[in-house]
Structures are given as structure tokens and as C-alpha cells.
């Protein structure tokens, strides 16, 4: 089965510019996650979708970050305007919920964002 | 609140020797525990998980982990390390009362020939 797809793999922008990342989860996976991984740290959850609804966006900086999953399949994460501290790898993950808390998340290759 | 600690930034081991990567956790209930590995410029790959049952969990590529409730630990182990095991390893925990996964900061494993 195909894995989680993400694009682009790399992006370099100037501060105050906008950028968008795309994710296509594993087919049939209802839950989709976006994580931010800053160099030297573990991934931090930004937002979790269940189908096309938001389950948890408590750590999403909503003044500049937005995400959508309109049809419950692929998703887009946007940053506008970008700041230097947004430089990180943005990871998308998906899973197919089984029993509560037992499901394994599968990750895409990530998008490495550099803000200059 | 849930949290994970990986006390070692880096672990060095010679090829053929056993390896251990340490992880301790804090949750309010019974934990669900995971190990992931990340190779350069790649996403995280799932290695193994503990949900319930046998405290010794076996996973991919010959890795295993032991759940120790009294010590709140979930150390990753392998009997004989390979150079190709060199990568960044993340421990993660989920409290049954939450839907989110919390990751440790990662441990770099370097296996020398």
C-alpha cells in the first residue's frame, strides 16, 4: 500500500512570505495529523483532523497558521506570513483508528522549510 | 499531562554489541508507548508499540522494548547492533485519556564498524 505523500520536499522562502504544504494520507485513513519538528526536538502536534473535522488544534499558532481537509482526504497546511522561527520540518501522519489510543500513526517524508 | 524523557542525546555502540536507548514517561493512566526511527531526510518509521499484555515487545529490524511500569520506562534494545541502525530514535507516549501523541526529543544512535 502507498504511504503518506507530502509535497514539496523542500521549500526556501523569505520571512513575511506565505507558503503551503500538501499531504495525502494512506488510503482509507480517517485521521490526519500535522506536526512541526524543529531541529534537535521531537515532533510537536499542530493539528489533528478526523475526516474533515478538527479534533485538536490547541497548539496551532492560529494568527499565522491554517489547515484544511475539505473532503476528508488530502490536507493543506499554510503559513502566512512566515517568521524565521517557522524553519522546521513539517510532518504529516495518518492512521485508521482502532481501539482508543491503540492506533499507530504512519508518517510521510516531511517538508523541510527554511525561512530566510 | 503526558511527557517523555530521553536522557541521552547520543548513544555510541560498536557493531555486534548490544544496544539500549533509554526512555521514561509520565502519564496519568496506563500508557500506550511507541518507538519510531528517523533516517536523514526521511519521515518517522514505526518500530514497535506497547499497549497491553507482555512487557517485552518485539518490533521491526530485530528491535525490542521492555515496558517497566514501576520504573515508568520503555527502553529500546537490540542484541547485536548494525552500522545501518545508525539513526535518530524517538520514544512517544499517549495517555489513554488523550488522542495526541507526545514525543521525546530523540536520541541519536551511532554504530561504529
Amino acid at each position: 500500500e502507498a504511504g503518506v505523500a507530502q509535497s514539496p520536499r523542500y521549500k526556501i522562502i523569505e520571512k513575511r512570505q506565505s507558503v503551503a504544504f500538501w499531504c495525502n494520507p494512506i488510503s482509507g485513513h480517517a485521521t490526519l495529523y500535522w506536526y512541526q519538528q524543529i531541529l534537535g526536538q521531537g515532533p510537536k502536534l499542530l493539528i489533528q483532523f478526523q475526516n474533515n473535522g478538527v479534533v485538536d488544534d490547541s497548539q496551532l499558532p492560529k494568527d499565522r497558521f491554517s489547515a484544511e481537509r475539505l473532503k476528508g482526504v488530502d490536507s493543506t497546511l499554510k503559513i502566512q506570513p512566515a517568521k524565521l522561527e517557522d524553519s522546521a520540518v513539517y510532518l504529516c501522519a495518518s492512521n485508521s483508528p482502532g481501539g482508543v489510543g491503540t492506533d499507530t500513526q504512519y508518517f510521510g517524508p516531511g517538508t523541510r522549510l527554511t525561512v530566510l | 499531562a503526558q511527557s517523555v524523557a530521553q536522557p541521552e542525546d547520543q548513544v555510541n555502540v560498536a557493531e555486534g554489541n548490544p544496544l539500549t536507548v533509554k526512555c521514561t514517561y509520565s502519564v496519568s493512566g496506563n500508557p500506550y508507548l511507541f518507538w519510531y526511527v528517523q533516517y536523514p531526510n526521511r519521515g518517522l518509521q514505526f518500530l514497535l508499540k506497547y499497549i497491553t499484555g507482555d512487557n517485552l515487545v518485539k518490533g521491526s529490524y530485530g528491535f525490542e522494548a521492555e515496558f517497566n511500569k514501576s520504573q515508568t520506562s520503555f527502553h529500546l534494545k537490540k542484541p547485536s547492533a548494525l552500522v545501518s541502525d545508525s539513526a535518530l530514535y524517538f520514544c512517544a507516549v499517549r495517555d489513554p485519556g488523550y488522542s495526541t501523541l507526545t514525543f521525546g526529543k530523540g536520541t541519536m544512535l551511532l554504530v561504529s564498524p
Side-chain angles (χ1 to χ4, degrees):
Chain A
E1 105 189 315
V4 177
Q6 288 188 248
S7 67
R9 291 295 311 277
Y10 305 92
K11 190 73 177 179
I12 301 174
I13 61 172
E14 301 278 339
K15 61 182 178 183
R16 291 186 290 274
Q17 286 185 325
S18 63
V19 64
F21 313 128
W22 175 82
C23 171
N24 194 29
I26 293 172
S27 178
H29 280 193
T31 308
L32 185 148
Y33 310 80
W34 283 103
Y35 288 87
Q36 180 191 58
Q37 185 181 14
I38 294 173
L39 186 64
Q41 299 180 19
K44 183 187 80 171
L45 180 70
L46 292 175
I47 189 167
Q48 176 185 347
F49 290 96
Q50 179 79 14
N51 296 307
N52 61 352
V54 175
V55 174
D56 184 352
D57 64 356
S58 57
Q59 298 196 77
L60 186 73
K62 299 180 185 64
D63 58 334
R64 297 184 301 106
F65 286 65
S66 65
E68 60 183 15
R69 194 184 184 199
L70 294 177
K71 296 183 179 180
V73 180
D74 58 346
S75 175
T76 302
L77 176 69
K78 297 179 181 178
I79 307 175
Q80 182 179 10
K83 293 185 175 181
L84 296 177
E85 59 261 36
D86 297 332
S87 294
V89 175
Y90 291 85
L91 295 165
C92 180
S94 71
N95 63 19
S96 181
V100 174
T102 63
D103 40 308
T104 300
Q105 294 183 25
Y106 295 92
F107 285 79
T111 296
R112 182 176 298 277
L113 174 67
T114 301
V115 182
L116 303 176
Chain B
Q2 56 191 34
S3 65
V4 174
Q6 294 183 243
E8 304 152 315
D9 291 336
Q10 185 169 306
V11 170
N12 297 296
V13 64
E15 188 173 32
N17 285 356
L19 69 87
T20 298
V21 182
K22 296 179 180 178
C23 171
T24 58
Y25 65 89
S26 175
V27 297
S28 58
N30 293 318
Y32 299 139
L33 295 156
F34 302 79
W35 276 102
Y36 285 84
V37 60
Q38 187 174 36
Y39 296 98
N41 299 315
R42 303 277 293 275
L44 276 68
Q45 294 181 32
F46 169 72
L47 278 180
L48 51 82
K49 66 182 177 183
Y50 171 83
I51 303 299
T52 187
D54 194 346
N55 289 342
L56 185 64
V57 178
K58 294 187 183 297
S60 306
Y61 313 120
F63 284 93
E64 58 188 29
E66 186 169 12
F67 171 63
N68 187 317
K69 188 172 183 177
S70 63
Q71 297 186 6
T72 62
S73 67
F74 189 57
H75 301 331
L76 182 69
K77 300 181 180 183
K78 188 174 182 180
S80 179
L82 300 172
V83 172
S84 57
D85 292 331
S86 298
L88 188 57
Y89 290 80
F90 290 96
C91 181
V93 67
R94 173 181 289 147
D95 187 310
Y98 295 89
S99 61
T100 56
L101 205 57
T102 297
F103 286 86
K105 63 178 174 60
T107 298
M108 178 63 71
L109 173 67
L110 293 176
V111 181
S112 56

